[in-house]
Amino acid sequence: MKWLLVLAVPVIGSTHIFALEVNEPRAKFNYQMFCQGCHVGDGSGHKGVPEIKDFIGNFLTFQEGREYLIRVPGSANSALDSYQLAELMNWMIVTYGGSSVPEKWAVYTTEEVEKYRQEPFYEVIDYRKKLVDFISENNK
């Protein structure tokens, strides 16, 4: 099944519409092939792998977090092209984000993913901790 992810996002005095067609079976397959081995089938993570279930949306609330999701090695170095990676990330956010997803958020576009993945992180543990601490401080 294909579905269209459309969001209206206020951007400095106006509203922008962002849309990306999501091929749900392909996105789910790509999650199973490229993400599930570490983040497991329900997004709960294991053995030091971050949980995305009910948490991934927190990264969408600030620019460094948004970039982080694409710049981590598993995303940035993925065999998926930038369109499919954008599709996969948007599917993951909708599927696993739960209440962590902001009410108004901009979908990842192919162009945005292409830009961010040009500068992948190689040492992510300390950087992720810094971002998660920031999220914790701002969710009090």
Side-chain angles (χ1 to χ4, degrees), residues 40-56:
V40 302
D42 68 354
S44 61
H46 69 80
K47 295 183 183 179
V49 174
E51 181 171 359
I52 57 175
K53 184 178 182 181
D54 298 323
F55 193 79
I56 193 171

Side-chain angles (χ1 to χ4, degrees), residues 53-70:
K53 184 178 182 181
D54 298 323
F55 193 79
I56 193 171
N58 290 302
F59 290 105
L60 303 174
T61 63
F62 59 109
Q63 187 60 36
E64 291 88 352
R66 187 172 178 84
E67 290 180 23
Y68 168 81
L69 292 176
I70 303 302

Side-chain angles (χ1 to χ4, degrees), residues 25-95:
R26 179 176 59 208
K28 183 176 181 180
F29 174 80
N30 284 334
Y31 179 81
Q32 291 169 336
M33 294 303 295
F34 299 106
C35 309
Q36 182 172 302
C38 296
H39 291 286
V40 302
D42 68 354
S44 61
H46 69 80
K47 295 183 183 179
V49 174
E51 181 171 359
I52 57 175
K53 184 178 182 181
D54 298 323
F55 193 79
I56 193 171
N58 290 302
F59 290 105
L60 303 174
T61 63
F62 59 109
Q63 187 60 36
E64 291 88 352
R66 187 172 178 84
E67 290 180 23
Y68 168 81
L69 292 176
I70 303 302
R71 293 179 63 198
V72 295
S75 295
N77 300 318
S78 169
L80 298 174
D81 65 31
S82 292
Y83 178 87
Q84 288 184 347
L85 182 57
E87 175 182 73
L88 172 58
M89 291 306 299
N90 292 323
W91 178 85
M92 288 171 58
I93 291 161
V94 170
T95 302

Side-chain angles (χ1 to χ4, degrees), residues 65-136:
R66 187 172 178 84
E67 290 180 23
Y68 168 81
L69 292 176
I70 303 302
R71 293 179 63 198
V72 295
S75 295
N77 300 318
S78 169
L80 298 174
D81 65 31
S82 292
Y83 178 87
Q84 288 184 347
L85 182 57
E87 175 182 73
L88 172 58
M89 291 306 299
N90 292 323
W91 178 85
M92 288 171 58
I93 291 161
V94 170
T95 302
Y96 297 117
S99 63
S100 73
V101 178
E103 187 175 312
K104 295 179 181 177
W105 62 281
V107 298
Y108 283 102
T109 64
T110 304
E111 296 77 20
E112 181 182 25
V113 167
E114 184 66 31
K115 176 183 171 187
Y116 297 157
R117 74 190 309 192
Q118 297 306 309
E119 297 181 46
F121 290 122
Y122 295 104
E123 299 294 331
V124 297
I125 295 172
D126 290 338
Y127 192 77
R128 183 179 194 286
K129 181 181 180 332
K130 180 182 104 173
L131 296 180
V132 170
D133 289 347
F134 177 83
I135 290 167
S136 295

